[in-house]
């Protein structure tokens, strides 16, 4: 049988990564075309080699590195299929991954048969919700309010802010008055009010105080500053 399913493996722990390479090399219809140890390499090799499926570790150089790489790749390649690898069945992380468009998840201690079956099912477009996965997703929908106050939710919103919105938010977090913001940014009050409304809408909050409280509780100010510099 021709090896017609091309797989890229992204996993930072070499013994685990090599285990996946070995088990998949023993499968007639699956070929590992690249194995990498971090999210940056995962993105680079995906662009270069165009795999059919990625086995993506959720947690590599950072806790959410795999999630971020998955989100970025699925925006670039909507038809790409990603299966996330995880040590723990953490509902929030799995739910977030599925929101981004990931097809399935596998525990890192899964047996060869389970890994291969998942890859084949995803490749062929057959991804029925396993009972445990359906339970997780339904449970997360019921806890959507709690999710909205989660770290990953907040990070996701911050990355969606424009450069102007980030600058306004930084000033507000320094308790700068709206009048002073107008002076600092050389804009009218109506413009600042519109930008603040946009920030509130993205965070789904009624007041800037709620937004600042959320950011403070998760220590995201430095992250916001880095985001602003990167834009």
């Amino acid at each position: 049988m021709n090896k017609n399913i091309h797989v890229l493996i992204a996993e930072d722990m070499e013994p685990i990564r090599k285990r996946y390479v070995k088990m998949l090399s023993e499968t007639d219809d699956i070929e590992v075309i690249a194995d990498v140890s971090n999210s940056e390499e995962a993105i680079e090799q995906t662009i270069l080699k165009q795999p059919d499926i990625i086995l993506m570790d959720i947690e590599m150089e950072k806790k959410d590195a795999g999630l971020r790489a998955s989100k970025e790749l699925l925006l670039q390649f909507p038809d790409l299929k990603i299966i996330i690898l995880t040590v723990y069945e953490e509902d929030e992380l799995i739910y977030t991954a599925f929101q981004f468009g990931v097809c399935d998840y596998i525990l890192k201690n899964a047996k060869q048969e389970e890994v291969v079956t998942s890859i084949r099912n995803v490749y062929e477009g057959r991804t029925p919700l396993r009972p445990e996965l359906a339970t997780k997703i339904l449970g997360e929908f019921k806890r959507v309010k709690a999710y909205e106050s989660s770290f990953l939710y907040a990070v996701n919103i911050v990355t969606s802010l424009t450069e102007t919105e980030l600058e306004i938010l930084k000033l507000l977090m320094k308790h700068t008055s709206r009048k002073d913001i107008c002076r600092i940014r050389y804009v009218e009050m109506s413009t600042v009010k519109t930008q603040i409304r946009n920030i509130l809408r993205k965070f789904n909050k009624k007041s800037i105080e709620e937004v600042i409280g959320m950011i403070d509780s998760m220590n995201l100010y430095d992250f916001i500053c880095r985001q602003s510099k990167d834009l």
Side-chain angles (χ1 to χ4, degrees):
M1 184 183 297
N2 293 327
K3 290 181 179 288
N4 56 358
I5 306 177
H6 294 161
V7 176
L8 182 149
I9 300 170
E11 162 62 58
D12 64 339
M13 296 185 68
E14 185 174 4
I16 296 176
R17 189 171 69 253
K18 295 305 180 186
R19 172 176 172 264
Y20 283 116
V21 171
K22 182 177 184 299
M23 72 166 63
L24 295 182
S25 68
E26 296 169 353
T27 307
D28 291 337
D29 57 338
I30 298 174
E31 178 183 359
V32 177
I33 59 173
D35 63 281
V36 301
S37 62
N38 60 62
S39 62
E40 184 177 340
E41 290 177 345
I43 293 170
E44 289 175 354
Q45 289 299 307
T46 297
I47 293 170
L48 180 66
K49 299 192 175 179
Q50 301 286 302
D52 299 308
I53 292 174
I54 301 177
L55 296 185
M56 179 81 77
D57 182 14
I58 280 186
E59 209 175 310
M60 288 185 280
E61 67 273 20
K62 294 182 180 179
K63 182 176 177 61
D64 62 343
L67 288 181
R68 286 178 168 277
S70 296
K71 181 179 180 181
E72 180 174 339
L73 286 169
L74 288 168
L75 286 172
Q76 292 187 60
F77 309 104
D79 295 330
L80 179 65
K81 295 176 170 64
I82 298 177
I83 300 170
I84 57 173
L85 306 172
T86 180
V87 176
Y88 305 109
E89 296 186 86
E90 299 179 56
D91 292 355
E92 181 182 307
L93 293 178
I94 292 171
Y95 181 69
T96 302
F98 276 90
Q99 282 192 314
F100 291 163
V102 163
C103 295
D104 200 0
Y105 80 95
I106 297 173
L107 293 179
K108 290 190 182 184
N109 62 357
K111 295 180 180 178
Q112 180 175 359
E113 180 182 355
E114 184 179 348
V115 176
V116 170
T117 297
S118 176
I119 290 172
R120 287 173 176 161
N121 282 340
V122 166
Y123 180 74
E124 294 169 8
R126 294 184 285 108
T127 53
L129 285 182
R130 292 171 283 163
E132 65 271 24
L133 183 51
T135 299
K136 289 180 184 300
I137 291 177
L138 289 173
E140 287 302 316
F141 274 118
K142 291 177 182 178
R143 292 191 294 272
V144 70
K145 287 301 179 184
Y147 170 75
E148 288 181 352
S149 64
S150 72
F151 176 80
L152 289 176
Y153 178 82
V155 166
N156 194 38
I157 294 172
V158 169
T159 58
S160 76
L161 296 178
T162 66
E163 183 175 6
T164 297
E165 289 164 355
L166 285 167
E167 291 299 328
I168 295 289
L169 185 53
K170 285 198 301 182
L171 289 168
L172 290 168
M173 292 188 71
K174 294 177 181 177
H175 306 291
T176 308
S177 70
R178 285 158 175 74
K179 183 177 179 180
D180 284 340
I181 291 174
C182 293
R183 178 180 55 79
I184 292 168
R185 297 192 59 79
Y186 303 102
V187 295
E188 298 293 329
M189 180 64 73
S190 59
T191 301
V192 171
K193 287 182 177 179
T194 297
Q195 290 162 345
I196 291 174
R197 280 198 298 270
N198 290 339
I199 293 170
L200 293 176
R201 176 178 52 79
K202 290 182 178 181
F203 276 94
N204 193 26
K205 299 295 184 184
K206 294 181 179 179
S207 71
I208 282 296
E209 287 70 28
E210 288 183 80
V211 173
I212 293 173
M214 181 182 187
I215 291 168
D216 283 342
S217 68
M218 298 175 190
N219 298 312
L220 283 174
Y221 180 73
D222 288 342
F223 176 72
I224 289 172
C225 292
R226 289 196 299 273
Q227 282 293 115
S228 179
K229 291 177 182 178
D230 290 341
L231 291 175

